[in-house]
Amino acid sequence: MTAKQQNYENLAESIIEKLAHRNMEGYYCKDREEANAKAKRFLTPECSISWGGSETLREIGLLDDLLESESDYEIYNRASKPDDMSEKEFYGKIVTSDFYFMSSNAITLDGELINIDGNGNRVACLCNGPEHIIVIVGMNKVVPDVESGIARTRNIAAPPNTVRLNKNTPCAEYGRCFDCQTEDCICCQTVITRRSRQPGRIKVILVGEELGY
């Protein structure tokens, strides 16, 4: 184990203790393969599953695995909505799913989750709806406090995301936040999760790698 890997593990242990005080379950996985396996162990037979937009979920291979297991679970994939179902009806399925996977734009040393969204569907599910929320976070997203987490999200996470999504925003062009009010702005909703109302509903898997944006 390298010094960096040991530091990640030590830091994660501290954050997991803080998460417990906030009614959230915390886990540490040393790499993406272990995190992928851990995330799938929470699933129950024939459960319904959905997820929010996340490079982290893609990078650890979870999305591919879930899509290959459609015969075992009821998958609600926003990218392949049934033609005979309205957007509203399909979102109703997502928001009442058994398991919802996502990442977090940042997590503080004290165990608070910071997320900023455009449409707000991801943070809405985090706040209320799905029975279980599984949050997978690379250790590169750990920040000292909420203010640092918001700054990280706007200046480190949002710019590459706007490039990925082909958005016409100043941050896509210049690589930093301009606190814009453009039509393509993806920083419309800011949610700080400081506690889970339902004990254990939110499960956070910290991963000892740099994942996502």
Side-chain angles (χ1 to χ4, degrees):
M1 181 181 292
T2 68
K4 187 175 184 179
Q5 290 170 330
Q6 184 63 64
N7 182 64
Y8 275 161
E9 186 171 329
N10 295 342
L11 183 58
E13 288 179 4
S14 174
I15 296 172
I16 289 168
E17 290 182 9
K18 300 293 187 179
L19 287 167
H21 289 300
R22 297 178 180 279
N23 265 355
M24 293 184 272
E25 295 178 12
Y27 304 87
Y28 180 72
C29 295
K30 68 179 185 299
D31 56 34
R32 64 189 65 195
E33 290 80 13
E34 188 176 313
N36 185 342
K38 179 67 175 178
K40 290 184 292 190
R41 279 198 287 272
F42 289 112
L43 300 176
T44 55
E46 300 181 354
C47 65
S48 57
I49 305 168
S50 192
W51 53 83
S54 167
E55 281 297 289
T56 296
L57 300 184
R58 182 188 63 79
E59 288 174 1
I60 70 171
L62 181 62
L63 295 187
D64 286 340
D65 287 354
L66 292 176
L67 291 173
E68 290 174 4
S69 304
E70 287 191 280
S71 59
D72 300 319
Y73 308 112
E74 190 168 3
I75 302 292
Y76 302 134
N77 179 10
R78 286 189 304 153
S80 57
K81 179 184 72 66
D83 293 334
D84 61 348
M85 191 177 294
S86 68
E87 291 282 352
K88 183 176 180 179
E89 184 180 2
F90 193 60
Y91 182 68
K93 297 282 189 182
I94 291 173
V95 81
T96 55
S97 58
D98 297 318
F99 291 88
Y100 188 84
F101 290 99
M102 59 179 287
S103 187
S104 184
N105 295 130
I107 181 171
T108 71
L109 293 172
D110 206 35
E112 295 164 293
L113 304 177
I114 297 100
N115 285 282
I116 295 180
D117 257 12
N119 291 325
N121 57 293
R122 182 175 63 105
V123 294
C125 287
L126 172 62
C127 293
N128 190 33
E131 186 172 356
H132 302 282
I133 302 292
I134 315 295
V135 185
I136 303 172
V137 190
M139 291 298 290
N140 55 304
K141 296 183 178 182
V142 174
V143 295
D145 49 42
V146 169
E147 291 74 17
S148 301
I150 292 173
R152 182 197 184 280
T153 302
R154 289 183 171 178
N155 291 288
I156 296 177
N161 262 314
T162 55
V163 173
R164 177 177 65 89
L165 297 169
N166 296 312
K167 298 297 185 181
N168 182 23
T169 61
C171 70
E173 183 174 357
Y174 297 104
R176 65 180 180 86
C177 181
F178 282 78
D179 196 22
C180 76
Q181 295 291 335
T182 63
E183 292 300 318
D184 275 357
C185 175
I186 66 169
C187 298
C188 301
Q189 314 287 337
T190 300
V191 170
I192 313 301
T193 305
R194 60 178 299 277
R195 184 176 177 82
S196 175
R197 191 68 177 271
Q198 295 79 36
R201 173 179 177 263
I202 300 174
K203 299 168 178 60
V204 180
I205 301 174
L206 296 165
V207 189
E209 289 193 46
E210 295 189 4
L211 296 169
Y213 298 139

